[in-house]
Amino acid sequence: AQSVTQLDSQVPVFEEAPVELRCNYSSSVSVYLFWYVQYPNQGLQLLLKYLSGSTLVKGINGFEAEFNKSQTSFHLRKPSVHISDTAEYFCAVSDLGGFKTIFGAGTRLFVKA
Amino acid sequence: SAVISQKPSRDICQRGTSLTIQCQVDSQVTMMFWYRQQPGQSLTLIATANQGSEATYESGFVIDKFPISRPNLTFSTLTVSNMSPEDSSIYLCSVDGQGRTGELFFGEGSRLTVL
């Protein structure tokens, strides 16, 4: 079974500052890793995914994440945030068959002017 | 990608009643998933629905409470039966992307409030 831990429930940050949202996972088998974003009153949208290959993954809206197998982490980063990045961010893991995706508790990113 | 439409987008329901949520996808998909997102919390998988077979429910969810239909490859319904205030949540329909990697596409959700 897999599990996902997002280490920060809320992250306040000033506009144009860098941000890192932390995610650790647990699994006895290889997994795929994802970050999703949920804007207010909307469904979830995929930001980026790690399936295989390069451990540095680039996604939409200037976000990137690095897969670290030894630390079982998949932290999300952005060098300079905008007010429009204010949203809930979910880290997720799925088994290699894609049969079940497990979500972390979410991190609320709040970008201040 | 897939475009997913859910109805209703929101509803206010009375305790003891049932509500059916519809999910329509613009392309044929094998697997459809229903998630629940309780206020301020993450997503919890309710069940997986494959066309032509019974839905597979996760621990803590039962068919009598959350019956699911999957009549074809583009449509599914989730019914929340005999509702109580604890059922107040956002219910999200999702489908798997290409390649069975676990990448999901989501509808905008159905926000239910039970009084």
Side-chain angles (χ1 to χ4, degrees):
Chain A
Q2 295 92 33
S3 66
V4 181
T5 302
Q6 292 185 241
L7 299 166
D8 307 291
S9 60
Q10 296 187 66
V11 175
V13 62
F14 285 103
E15 192 174 21
E16 297 184 6
V19 70
E20 177 180 81
L21 307 184
R22 297 178 294 167
C23 173
N24 286 95
Y25 70 94
S26 174
S27 177
S28 58
V29 298
S30 296
V31 295
Y32 298 132
L33 295 159
F34 308 87
W35 276 98
Y36 290 85
V37 59
Q38 185 178 33
Y39 298 104
N41 299 313
Q42 295 188 26
L44 276 72
Q45 177 184 1
L46 181 70
L47 266 182
L48 48 80
K49 59 188 176 185
Y50 173 78
L51 305 181
S52 65
S54 172
T55 57
L56 183 63
V57 179
K58 294 188 182 298
I60 62 172
N61 301 339
F63 284 93
E64 64 181 32
E66 185 155 19
F67 170 57
N68 188 318
K69 187 174 182 178
S70 63
Q71 297 186 3
T72 60
S73 68
F74 191 55
H75 300 333
L76 181 71
R77 302 185 184 97
K78 186 170 182 177
S80 175
V81 295
H82 303 290
I83 296 288
S84 59
D85 292 323
T86 294
E88 189 89 18
Y89 292 79
F90 294 96
C91 182
V93 59
S94 81
D95 59 277
L96 296 191
F99 293 106
K100 183 186 294 189
T101 302
I102 305 298
F103 288 82
T107 298
R108 179 167 295 276
L109 176 63
F110 178 60
V111 182
K112 301 177 286 186
Chain B
S1 65
V3 178
I4 302 169
S5 302
Q6 277 187 243
K7 292 181 181 179
S9 59
R10 60 178 63 229
D11 207 340
I12 300 174
C13 307
Q14 296 298 318
R15 182 195 298 260
T17 62
S18 299
L19 182 78
T20 295
I21 302 167
Q22 299 179 5
C23 178
Q24 180 74 53
V25 188
D26 68 341
S27 57
Q28 294 185 340
V29 294
T30 303
M31 300 173 75
M32 296 180 76
F33 305 90
W34 286 98
Y35 283 86
R36 181 175 72 182
Q37 186 178 23
Q38 293 178 301
Q41 298 189 29
S42 186
L43 284 73
T44 302
L45 182 63
I46 297 172
T48 302
N50 292 331
Q51 192 266 337
S53 63
E54 294 283 335
T56 302
Y57 289 83
E58 297 300 307
S59 175
F61 298 96
V62 295
I63 188 171
D64 289 347
K65 175 68 175 178
F66 297 101
I68 289 171
S69 77
R70 182 78 201 274
N72 57 52
L73 291 173
T74 63
F75 188 78
S76 178
T77 68
L78 169 75
T79 299
V80 186
S81 302
N82 188 24
M83 288 186 284
S84 67
E86 293 70 36
D87 295 318
S88 296
S89 292
I90 300 172
Y91 293 85
L92 293 151
C93 172
S94 69
V95 303
D96 62 331
Q98 299 295 325
R100 297 283 288 275
T101 63
E103 175 183 348
L104 299 174
F105 298 99
F106 286 87
E108 293 199 348
S110 299
R111 183 183 296 270
L112 301 189
T113 301
V114 184
L115 303 178

